[in-house]
Amino acid sequence: MSGSGDPAAVRRLTVSDIARMHADGESLPMLTAYDHPTAQILDEAGIPMLLVGDSLGQVLLGFDSTVRVTMDQMLHHTAAVVRGTKRALVIGDMPFLSYSSPDEAIENAGRFLREAGAQAVKIEGGVRSGRIIEALVRAGVPVMGHIGWTPQSQHGLGGKVRVQGKTREAARSMLADAIAVQDAGAFSIVLELVPEQLAAIITSRLRIPTIGIGAGPHCSGQVQVVTDLLGLGDFSPRHARAYADLRGAIRKAATEWAADVAARRFPGPEQTVRMDDAVLDEALGRTPDDRAAGGARDIAAIPLDRDL
Ligand code: KIV
């Protein structure tokens, strides 16, 4: 509800609302969004957090990894999502090498908030990103952390997408990463591709909400890539569940439309505009007066608009 007194007015959620929902024991749903119409629908559906993930590089722009995504592309899509939403907290994903130092991180996070209108940013990395998160939070930028499988470091993690934290050392280091992100001031943290028991332990040790993707059911919330949820992509990871088949629906719609065009069934009367026939007769010089004066003029002799 808005502070304006109008109980019907919708206001933008803040990280304090997310903290309150978490404290109330609500499970937090988050979806990725990359464009205006999808963001509008997800906002209408009441999804409280929308992440403009750099996954857009793969699922929307056709790159083979997220490391190709630029700041300008992220800002372009984040602004479209912000324009499509009234209530959701919009989080912009800081792309690869856009937060190598605290100064660079503040500069680029500032662009997400000022130019694109996001309310928070997400950055990857645990202990290694603590100093950056701290600087951002001190500068007034709400930060979501991201540990486990961190796609921007795919080359350092061996290239192949795989569940993280399965060895004793890796599990300990992931716990240390989670605590470092929380201590640096992040308002929540994504756990990606983490064994469910480890995700449960991390969740129980943190005050801030964990948002899982491929991290089992014991996280404080869940995030899915929207194209996986909608069945729009040409590949679906094991941790995703499709709730629609938009790929099939779009293919069917396009095929049916093309068949209607081929058979001249499209456009029909509902999609077509007529003009007043009398006006057309005047335009073509075929009114009774025109005929009395010698018959309709040859169409080819009628001057075009640009000549009038
Ligand atoms: O870019 C993205 O979509 C993400 C989510 C998978 C958390 O980082």
Side-chain angles (χ1 to χ4, degrees), residues 30-34 51-59 66 74 93 122 124 144-146 149 151-152 190-192 211-213 223-226 239:
M30 176 164 90
L31 284 169
T32 66
Y34 315 106
L51 170 69
V52 187
D54 62 358
S55 51
L56 88 86
Q58 284 155 300
V59 303
T66 63
M74 289 305 303
D93 207 0
K122 175 170 84 58
E124 294 186 1
M144 173 178 274
H146 182 161
W149 171 256
Q152 292 173 12
V190 168
L191 305 182
E192 180 165 358
I211 311 292
I213 176 162
V223 53
Q224 286 286 283
V225 170
V226 72
H239 57 71

Side-chain angles (χ1 to χ4, degrees), residues 23-303:
D24 289 348
E26 283 184 48
S27 179
L28 300 167
M30 176 164 90
L31 284 169
T32 66
Y34 315 106
D35 64 80
H36 184 267
T38 311
Q40 264 182 335
I41 299 166
L42 302 181
D43 202 38
E44 283 164 19
I47 306 299
M49 289 188 284
L50 293 183
L51 170 69
V52 187
D54 62 358
S55 51
L56 88 86
Q58 284 155 300
V59 303
L60 218 70
L61 303 180
F63 293 144
D64 57 0
S65 85
T66 63
V67 304
R68 307 273 300 278
V69 176
T70 66
M71 265 304 290
D72 284 346
Q73 287 163 344
M74 289 305 303
L75 294 175
H76 178 79
H77 286 270
T78 303
V81 168
V82 171
R83 286 192 295 271
T85 52
K86 295 189 173 78
R87 176 176 179 268
L89 179 83
V90 177
I91 302 142
D93 207 0
M94 302 270 289
F96 183 53
L97 295 185
S98 69
Y99 49 98
S100 311
S101 68
D103 284 350
E104 188 185 37
I106 290 171
E107 164 77 23
N108 285 323
R111 295 190 68 197
F112 270 103
L113 271 59
R114 278 200 311 263
E115 293 176 32
Q119 290 82 53
V121 298
K122 175 170 84 58
I123 72 171
E124 294 186 1
V127 171
R128 71 182 160 90
S129 294
R131 186 173 71 99
I132 304 287
I133 297 174
E134 219 168 271
L136 286 171
V137 172
R138 216 178 310 117
V141 180
V143 178
M144 173 178 274
H146 182 161
I147 62 171
W149 171 256
T150 46
Q152 292 173 12
S153 356
Q154 58 170 312
H155 299 301
L157 292 173
K160 192 166 168 332
V161 180
R162 62 160 63 96
V163 174
Q164 303 291 303
K166 284 171 98 172
T167 65
R168 192 179 74 144
E169 282 317 306
R172 284 186 179 174
S173 129
M174 198 183 299
L175 194 49
D177 278 338
I179 289 166
V181 167
Q182 170 173 277
D183 289 352
F187 73 93
S188 77
I189 182 167
V190 168
L191 305 182
E192 180 165 358
L193 299 188
V194 177
E196 69 163 306
Q197 310 96 305
L198 182 57
I201 295 284
I202 292 174
T203 301
S204 71
R205 301 266 171 106
L206 296 185
R207 293 181 309 277
I208 60 173
T210 57
I211 311 292
I213 176 162
H218 309 297
C219 296
S220 326
Q222 297 289 329
V223 53
Q224 286 286 283
V225 170
V226 72
T227 49
D228 293 339
L229 182 91
L230 300 178
L232 193 54
D234 57 0
F235 157 81
S236 182
R238 177 169 178 268
H239 57 71
R241 184 189 292 165
Y243 285 76
D245 174 24
L246 285 202
R247 202 174 173 87
I250 292 172
R251 191 186 303 110
K252 180 168 177 290
T255 308
E256 286 178 9
W257 176 77
D260 279 354
V261 170
R264 302 198 183 281
R265 287 187 299 260
F266 181 90
E270 306 81 12
Q271 294 87 31
T272 302
V273 176
R274 287 188 62 79
M275 68 184 287
D276 187 334
D277 287 326
V279 174
L280 183 60
D281 283 345
E282 280 173 25
L284 297 179
R286 56 188 191 195
T287 62
D289 284 353
D290 291 323
R291 275 195 217 99
R297 280 183 285 158
D298 177 7
I299 282 189
I302 294 176

